[in-house]
């Protein structure tokens, strides 16, 4: 794979130019089919659109960035909230930092949003339909600006439809997600070797983030790019730690660990396991057996042509039948440039049917009689024959 550096974050990315070109052609093919002259991608950090379009990340304020994609030609990445009041785009400010998108073919960074240029693009395409991704994020200023200068243009929300196309990962994307999954496993194994009685929860989380960074994760904000949730208990969970540095670990504790760490080229993986400091009780072993049973049943249901909504209904029915207190929200969702991508219930895409090439995180959680929540998280890719588990770590309850 090619290797190039993100000038803003200092991280290396390994997306090939062929993959970026495939993505650009995918969105333009969709535009031709839907008779769209231009697509606006608003708030492009959502669902990883910035990395999906450019291959790298960025550091601008998230509410002041968008992509303008004509049916053919240069894609524009607009930084800032300035809007042109005449038929030209402002020049790049003198002394501005170099932008990572400029390292890629077909993308140019500009510093002013221009309805006049968009009208020109629409005229070239012969269409009057302007597609919008994440239109619900449009600021009032931009809405009024488009109404003033493009009053005769039809705005079309294409978020859901294109998210479904983007959810199918190429072989190159699947390989990079697999590397991100391996990263979670290495961090988890390293953390297991570090945990011991007398340590605080905060120390354990800090060490997990240190391992993630040393193994190639990174980015602008480690709270986002190396998400680590660790909660320990002896008899009863207290929810999230109420104060820094959290609990002190002791012999006999149960520890629930969930990792959602950015890996190679900006792709995320996820991994959740429960460990015991010493021999676990019969009750704790039974609670883990139940959550693993749910995970195995979910894996059986992951096949092309089945929707997340249908799977959720079946798993909820199974949990009731087995009297398992099941936490049903967000237990199954797409994963890629973000930890939560389509298909997913929160983006109203849970009715999408699974397709070959999709990659999903399955994260069932179940409670024991005391209300303690146990969670198991693995990653799967969908093939023509069903699900292939990308997570290689065994699923047993770990005893330290």
């Amino acid at each position: 794979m090619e290797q190039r550096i993100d000038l803003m974050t200092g991280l290396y990315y390994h997306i090939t130019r062929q993959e970026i070109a495939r993505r650009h052609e995918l969105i333009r093919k969709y535009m031709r089919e839907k008779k769209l002259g231009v697509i606006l991608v608003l708030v492009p950090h959502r669902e990883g659109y910035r990395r999906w379009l450019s291959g790298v990340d960025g550091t601008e304020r998230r509410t002041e960035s968008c992509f303008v994609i004509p049916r053919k030609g240069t894609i524009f990445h607009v930084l800032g909230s300035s809007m042109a009041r005449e038929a030209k785009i402002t020049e790049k400010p003198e002394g501005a930092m170099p932008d990572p998108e400029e390292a890629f073919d077909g993308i140019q960074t500009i510093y002013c949003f221009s309805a006049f240029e968009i009208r020109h693009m629409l005229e070239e395409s012969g269409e009057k339909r302007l597609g919008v991704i994440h239109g619900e994020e449009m600021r009032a200023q931009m809405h009024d600006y488009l109404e003033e200068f493009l009053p005769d243009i039809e705005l079309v929300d294409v978020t859901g439809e294109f998210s479904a196309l983007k959810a199918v990962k190429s072989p190159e994307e699947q390989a990079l997600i697999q590397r991100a999954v391996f990263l979670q496993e290495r961090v988890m194994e390293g953390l297991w070797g570090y945990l011991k009685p007398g340590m605080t929860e905060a120390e354990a989380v800090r060490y997990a983030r240190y391992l993630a960074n040393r193994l190639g994760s990174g980015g602008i904000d480690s709270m986002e790019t190396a998400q680590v949730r660790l909660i320990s208990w002896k008899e009863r969970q207290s929810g999230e730690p109420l104060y820094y540095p959290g609990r002190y670990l002791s012999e006999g504790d149960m520890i629930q660990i969930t990792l959602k760490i950015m890996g190679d080229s900006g792709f995320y993986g996820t991994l959740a396991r429960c460990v015991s400091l010493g021999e676990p009780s019969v009750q704790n072993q039974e609670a883990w057996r139940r959550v693993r049973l749910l995970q195995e049943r979910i894996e059986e249901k992951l096949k092309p042509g089945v929707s997340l909504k249908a799977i959720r209904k079946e798993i909820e029915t199974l949990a009731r039948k087995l009297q398992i207190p099941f936490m049903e929200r967000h237990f199954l969702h797409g994963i890629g440039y973000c930890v939560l991508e389509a298909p997913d219930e929160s983006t109203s895409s849970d009715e999408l049917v699974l397709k070959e090439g999709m990659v999903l995180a399955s994260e069932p959680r179940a409670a024991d009689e005391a209300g303690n929540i146990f969670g198991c998280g693995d990653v799967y890719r969908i093939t023509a024959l069903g699900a292939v588990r990308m997570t290689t770590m065994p699923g047993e309850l770990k005893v330290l």
Side-chain angles (χ1 to χ4, degrees):
M1 289 185 180
E2 299 176 40
Q3 176 173 279
R4 60 189 72 154
I5 192 169
D6 182 328
L7 299 178
M8 290 294 189
T9 63
L11 297 178
Y12 284 103
Y13 287 77
H14 300 93
I15 294 292
T16 62
R17 294 183 184 278
Q18 289 80 8
E19 172 61 22
I20 296 297
R22 181 196 71 85
R23 297 171 184 177
H24 291 181
E25 176 52 31
L26 178 66
I27 199 167
R28 277 157 167 167
K29 180 175 182 289
Y30 173 80
M31 293 170 73
R32 292 192 294 269
E33 291 173 351
K34 300 297 180 178
K35 300 186 183 304
L36 300 169
V38 178
I39 284 182
L40 299 182
V41 182
L42 304 179
V43 194
H45 74 278
R46 284 190 54 190
E47 298 184 80
Y49 271 94
R50 182 191 291 105
R51 286 191 292 271
W52 190 83
L53 286 165
S54 70
V56 291
D57 209 346
T59 57
E60 70 278 357
R61 290 175 60 186
R62 290 177 168 180
T63 57
E64 296 184 353
S65 169
C66 72
F67 282 86
V68 179
I69 307 173
R71 189 181 287 188
K72 62 180 180 179
T74 301
I75 295 174
F76 293 98
H77 183 202
V78 184
L79 296 182
S81 58
S82 177
M83 297 183 183
R85 309 300 296 184
E86 54 186 0
K88 68 176 183 179
I89 300 175
T90 59
E91 295 296 328
K92 183 174 179 178
E94 185 178 354
M97 289 292 289
D99 300 295
E101 289 81 7
E102 292 181 341
F104 289 82
D105 296 334
I107 298 180
Q108 179 182 334
T109 299
I110 56 177
Y111 289 80
C112 186
F113 184 85
S114 173
F116 305 96
E117 290 296 326
I118 290 175
R119 179 173 293 282
H120 177 67
M121 295 171 185
L122 290 166
E123 289 172 351
E124 282 196 330
S125 71
E127 306 290 353
K128 287 193 173 184
R129 287 162 55 85
L130 177 62
V132 183
I133 293 175
H134 302 148
E136 70 281 2
E137 299 280 359
M138 184 179 293
R139 292 175 289 120
Q141 181 186 9
M142 179 178 286
H143 180 271
D144 294 345
Y145 176 76
L146 292 176
E147 277 203 339
E148 179 182 357
F149 292 104
L150 297 173
D152 56 333
I153 299 304
E154 179 186 0
L155 294 180
V156 183
D157 185 349
V158 300
T159 308
E161 286 187 349
F162 196 76
S163 292
L165 296 176
K166 180 170 161 284
V168 178
K169 309 302 183 188
S170 70
E172 182 174 321
E173 290 174 316
Q174 292 179 39
L176 288 167
I177 294 173
Q178 181 69 77
R179 290 168 68 168
V181 170
F182 289 156
L183 173 62
Q184 322 298 307
E185 296 177 343
R186 294 177 68 188
V187 172
M188 184 72 80
E189 290 168 347
L191 184 56
W192 286 348
Y194 184 74
L195 294 172
K196 61 182 179 181
M199 177 181 298
T200 68
E201 292 175 332
E203 287 178 297
V205 170
R206 187 163 57 245
Y207 184 69
R209 289 204 174 106
Y210 164 79
L211 285 177
N213 187 267
R214 294 289 292 177
L215 292 170
S217 183
I220 301 163
D221 180 5
S222 65
M223 296 292 286
E224 177 183 344
T225 59
Q227 299 175 37
V228 179
R229 182 179 184 271
L230 184 148
I231 183 170
S232 65
W233 72 96
K234 192 173 294 294
E235 294 180 356
R236 186 70 182 269
Q237 290 178 359
S238 59
E240 298 293 340
L242 301 180
Y243 58 89
Y244 181 88
R247 288 184 71 252
Y248 283 82
L249 305 184
S250 62
E251 190 71 23
D253 277 357
M254 297 297 296
I255 308 172
Q256 176 68 50
I257 306 167
T258 302
L259 306 177
K260 298 178 183 294
I261 298 172
M262 180 189 287
D264 195 341
S265 301
F267 285 96
Y268 279 89
T270 189
L271 180 64
R273 291 291 185 272
C274 196
V275 302
S276 175
L277 288 180
E279 194 62 30
S281 67
V282 173
Q283 292 82 1
N284 288 331
Q285 293 182 53
E286 174 60 18
W288 184 251
R289 186 193 69 80
R290 288 180 173 187
V291 80
R292 281 298 302 171
L293 175 62
L294 292 177
Q295 184 73 294
E296 290 166 2
R297 293 298 177 89
I298 293 168
E299 181 176 346
E300 293 173 2
K301 304 296 181 183
L302 295 176
K303 298 177 181 179
V306 182
S307 71
L308 263 64
K309 187 174 183 178
I311 294 173
R312 185 173 69 244
K313 184 176 293 185
E314 289 192 45
I315 297 302
E316 288 173 353
T317 301
L318 173 66
R320 284 194 298 270
K321 180 180 179 180
L322 299 177
Q323 297 184 325
I324 299 175
F326 175 50
M327 313 292 111
E328 70 279 359
R329 286 189 60 79
H330 301 308
F331 75 90
L332 187 60
H333 56 85
I335 193 168
Y337 277 130
C338 293
V339 295
L340 199 64
E341 289 191 2
D344 171 62
E345 62 185 275
S346 67
T347 57
S348 302
S349 58
D350 62 338
E351 294 188 3
L352 288 178
V353 297
L354 300 184
K355 294 183 179 180
E356 185 176 356
M358 286 184 175
V359 178
L360 294 100
S362 175
E363 305 178 277
R365 297 181 300 143
D368 64 10
E369 289 75 7
N372 302 315
I373 297 174
F374 293 70
C376 180
D378 292 322
V379 178
Y380 298 88
R381 62 182 175 88
I382 307 301
T383 72
L385 301 177
V388 172
R389 187 168 173 264
M390 300 175 78
T391 305
T392 63
M393 179 172 283
E396 72 268 8
L397 178 62
K398 183 72 176 179
V399 180
L400 302 179

